[in-house]
Amino acid sequence: MKMRKILSLLFALMLVTVFVSNSAMAAGTSMATATSISVNKTYSADTKAGTYYYRFTLPSSGTVTISVPTLNSQVLSIYNTSNVKLYTKTLKSSSPSATLSTAAKTTLSAGTYTLSYNHSSAGKIKSTIKLGYVSSNESFPDSSSDNSYSTANSISLNKTYYGFMPINDHTDYYKFKVGKTSSVKLQFSTTLKKYRLYI
């Protein structure tokens, strides 16, 4: 009898654990109550028409993708810690689908951000969202300290360095030394459509 009670208790605990792990996550309804989420994970919440907020942190600069179901009308926006809007995208579709698809893609420096998600679907729906992230793997840790002449990163000749220009960081400075008067050849490649180089 005692063994049956123990087994019954374990089974009940297993049921509770499964139920909790599959429960819907509440979505924040304001900047101040934004729900914290992690990158490269999928979250879902029961929502009705309106705007919902999620907070996330990037350990380093990189590319961010936002995946959501296809609804009639959606708006995705990203804000920095000063609540300044850095990115926004409006999505419209005549063929709604519950399948997750990449809806937006942008680049960001390291830091904490707030993602707002607005939809105008009728009634209550289950909103699913996934924030993908791939690090830029740049040569110097992402920081605003290299955004001026006086705080330039030191580099050496005959070495390759990798930089990254997210939407919220437009300038990087590098400094190097030449022992005597000589010619220096700069090899530079980028996917940016517009850029300026100064020496």
Side-chain angles (χ1 to χ4, degrees), residues 43-44 56 87 105 111-112 118 139 167 178 193:
Y43 296 88
S44 63
F56 63 95
Y87 174 88
K105 182 178 181 180
T112 299
N118 173 280
S139 297
I167 61 171
V178 178
K193 294 181 179 180

Side-chain angles (χ1 to χ4, degrees), residues 47-49 119-125:
T47 64
K48 56 184 179 181
H119 73 80
S120 55
S121 298
K124 183 177 287 188
I125 66 168

Side-chain angles (χ1 to χ4, degrees), residues 4-76:
R4 288 183 179 178
K5 288 184 178 179
I6 293 175
L7 290 174
S8 298
L9 178 61
L10 289 174
F11 183 67
L13 287 174
M14 289 174 63
L15 287 177
V16 170
T17 302
V18 171
F19 175 77
V20 172
S21 63
N22 289 334
S23 62
M25 179 193 66
T29 55
S30 69
M31 286 277 195
T33 61
T35 300
S36 294
I37 62 174
S38 300
V39 295
N40 298 323
K41 289 186 177 181
T42 302
Y43 296 88
S44 63
D46 293 325
T47 64
K48 56 184 179 181
T51 303
Y52 300 89
Y53 297 86
Y54 302 89
R55 184 163 292 118
F56 63 95
T57 299
L58 301 183
S60 63
S61 63
T63 301
V64 172
T65 55
I66 306 170
S67 298
V68 292
T70 303
L71 302 179
N72 291 328
S73 180
Q74 302 174 91
V75 180
L76 299 166

